[in-house]
Amino acid sequence: MRKTEPARHQVLLLSAFDDPHRCVSLGGDEWDILIRTARQAKLLGRLCAELRRRGVLDAVPDSVRAHLDGAYGYSLHRKHTALGVLWGLELVLNGCGFPLVLLKGASYIAQGISTSDGRLFEDIDIMVPKDSLAEVEDRLTIHGWRTEKPDTYDQRYYREWSHELPPMWHSSYAMELDVHHTILPVVARAKPIAERLLERAIPVVGSKFRVLSPVDQLVHASAHLFYDSDFQGRFKDLIDLNSLFVDHSSSPHFWDELAREAKIHGLARSVWYAAYFCMAWLGTTVPGEFFALLGAEAPGRFARRSIEFGMTALAFPLHPDRRDFKRPTSISSVFEARALWLRFPARILVYHTIMKAIRSSMPRTVRSA
């Protein structure tokens, strides 16, 4: 496997998050590239938050500070929008006799952890027991939530094979809602135990919601990036993982528990990659014993190099000055195929690929009819 070296704009982005103090010595041209690269990666607000957390923000040139402050302000706007959706959901789902567990960004807000600071929130994810999906959907529909996937094939895709209902929208909220019953598609090769995730979820003080336990948040975020994605534009997911390690890893027995739960859910390899890339690219402190605890689940040299190659080639945003530059089609195709192979058994994958090809050749109005 040929090694891919990070490009200059990638190095600037990595350095800014690995050690924000290095930003103090950046020249005007470097700031220009860094700001535009971070904006493409949807990380400009996160960069502002990280510079502030490390006490570097006041040393940033005024012309740069304006961009950072603007992005941070927009992240606050999205955070307030998310809080509005959560407030509405609490009213709609009041009295439910089953756990309502917040996932990903919504759970970071609810916990008030640094992972939420400056993050650009795009949707709300909640998880409920599978046998409660119908009640949740009925309540949401009565109160104005609608699916944006009316197509018959899309409905089958979500309801038979996926881990969530079709995405839902409400005219009063500028944010999508995803209702999950587990954390990976039900037909995926890995079978995380949804009941265990729900049982271990912890209450949010002053709320009807729960959040996944700290280590389960890491397991979920690792699976989201290293199992259920093709890496394209997903560097921000690695920043989330890095922040979760910072927020949670000081708890006693954290690393032992993380290794144990990752194995139980069949996601030890994804967690191994998460710890490895956060340590290698972002300077996260990971005890050597942790990798030993994962033992036989660790990837071999070729597998690790392959994922490293894919992450370097695909996860970062494109250089902001190279508008005509496209990601290597052959590389993106390989990692898209990997994600599909992990997500679907062969029979469904063939059917899905054929349907996708047919649908892509049809006008959108016909597909939605």
Side-chain angles (χ1 to χ4, degrees):
M1 179 63 66
R2 181 168 58 88
K3 189 174 182 180
T4 299
E5 296 293 339
R8 178 61 178 152
H9 69 294
Q10 296 173 340
V11 172
L12 283 169
L13 192 62
L14 280 171
S15 296
F17 280 96
D18 179 19
D19 183 3
H21 291 91
R22 295 179 190 165
C23 293
V24 175
S25 61
L26 293 181
D29 290 346
E30 292 171 312
W31 269 119
D32 176 53
I33 293 174
L34 174 59
I35 290 295
R36 289 187 292 145
T37 301
R39 180 177 285 122
Q40 275 200 71
K42 301 181 179 180
L43 284 170
L44 197 50
R46 290 296 299 275
L47 179 59
C48 181
E50 197 60 21
L51 291 169
R52 179 181 288 114
R53 189 172 74 86
R54 303 287 190 95
V56 181
L57 191 59
D58 290 340
V60 170
D62 290 344
S63 57
V64 174
R65 178 74 183 263
H67 291 281
L68 292 167
D69 286 345
Y72 189 77
Y74 184 62
S75 76
L76 289 178
H77 164 70
R78 295 298 293 171
K79 183 176 183 177
H80 292 150
T81 301
L83 287 169
V85 177
L86 293 179
W87 179 79
L89 289 176
E90 275 202 294
L91 294 177
V92 171
L93 302 174
N94 186 34
C96 287
F98 46 82
L100 302 168
V101 179
L102 302 177
L103 300 177
K104 297 189 283 188
S107 82
Y108 308 152
I109 294 175
Q111 297 169 87
I113 56 179
S114 69
T115 310
S116 69
D117 197 13
R119 192 177 188 274
L120 191 56
F121 298 95
E122 297 177 325
D123 54 19
I124 294 289
D125 297 88
I126 65 172
M127 179 173 166
V128 300
K130 188 173 184 179
D131 58 8
S132 303
L133 278 178
E135 179 180 346
V136 171
E137 186 173 14
D138 286 347
R139 288 195 183 213
L140 290 169
T141 302
I142 290 170
H143 288 84
W145 288 90
R146 296 288 182 269
T147 177
E148 64 168 11
K149 301 286 186 183
D151 177 87
T152 303
Y153 178 78
D154 286 334
Q155 288 289 325
R156 183 183 181 194
Y157 174 90
Y158 281 97
R159 296 179 187 280
E160 290 189 27
W161 306 329
S162 185
H163 51 304
E164 58 185 320
L165 293 173
M168 303 184 83
W169 278 97
H170 192 290
S171 58
S172 298
Y173 304 114
M175 193 164 282
E176 184 179 286
L177 172 66
D178 294 329
V179 181
H180 300 242
H181 58 87
T182 184
I183 59 173
L184 283 177
V186 293
V187 293
R189 283 167 170 72
K191 306 289 184 190
I193 306 169
E195 295 80 6
R196 184 175 179 87
L197 294 169
L198 292 169
E199 286 171 6
R200 286 168 43 83
I202 54 180
V204 176
V205 176
S207 166
K208 301 181 186 307
F209 293 112
R210 294 172 174 260
V211 296
L212 295 178
S213 75
V215 299
D216 289 344
Q217 290 172 41
L218 260 301
V219 171
H220 180 205
S222 302
H224 191 59
L225 176 57
F226 291 105
Y227 195 98
D228 196 27
S229 91
D230 56 10
F231 303 154
Q232 296 203 51
R234 303 294 286 271
F235 182 69
K236 61 186 176 65
D237 291 20
L238 192 68
I239 295 297
D240 273 354
L241 279 161
N242 188 58
S243 292
L244 287 172
F245 279 121
V246 171
D247 284 325
H248 295 318
S249 63
S250 61
S251 301
H253 311 298
F254 170 84
W255 296 103
D256 291 343
E257 187 182 351
L258 178 58
R260 184 193 70 210
E261 294 301 318
K263 288 181 181 177
I264 287 173
H265 292 293
L267 292 166
R269 174 85 49 109
S270 297
V271 172
W272 191 99
Y273 285 131
Y276 172 79
F277 280 97
C278 286
M279 182 178 69
W281 286 11
L282 297 166
T284 304
T285 302
V286 180
E289 309 85 72
F290 175 68
F291 293 106
L293 287 171
L294 293 176
E297 305 296 337
R301 184 176 180 183
F302 178 78
R304 177 173 60 79
R305 286 287 178 84
S306 299
I307 298 301
E308 220 164 23
F309 181 79
M311 282 286 287
T312 306
L314 301 172
F316 291 96
L318 300 174
H319 191 290
D321 285 337
R322 299 183 64 177
R323 297 296 182 191
D324 59 334
F325 180 76
K326 295 181 179 179
R327 299 184 194 279
T329 304
S330 58
I331 299 176
S332 57
S333 297
V334 167
F335 285 92
E336 184 179 359
R338 171 189 178 268
L340 289 171
W341 179 253
L342 291 172
R343 196 181 302 163
F344 296 115
R347 176 181 57 82
I348 296 178
L349 179 56
V350 170
Y351 178 66
H352 176 69
T353 303
I354 293 173
M355 288 300 295
K356 193 174 177 181
I358 294 173
R359 285 154 53 83
S360 65
S361 66
M362 298 166 61
R364 187 176 182 82
T365 51
V366 175
R367 296 203 306 266
S368 301

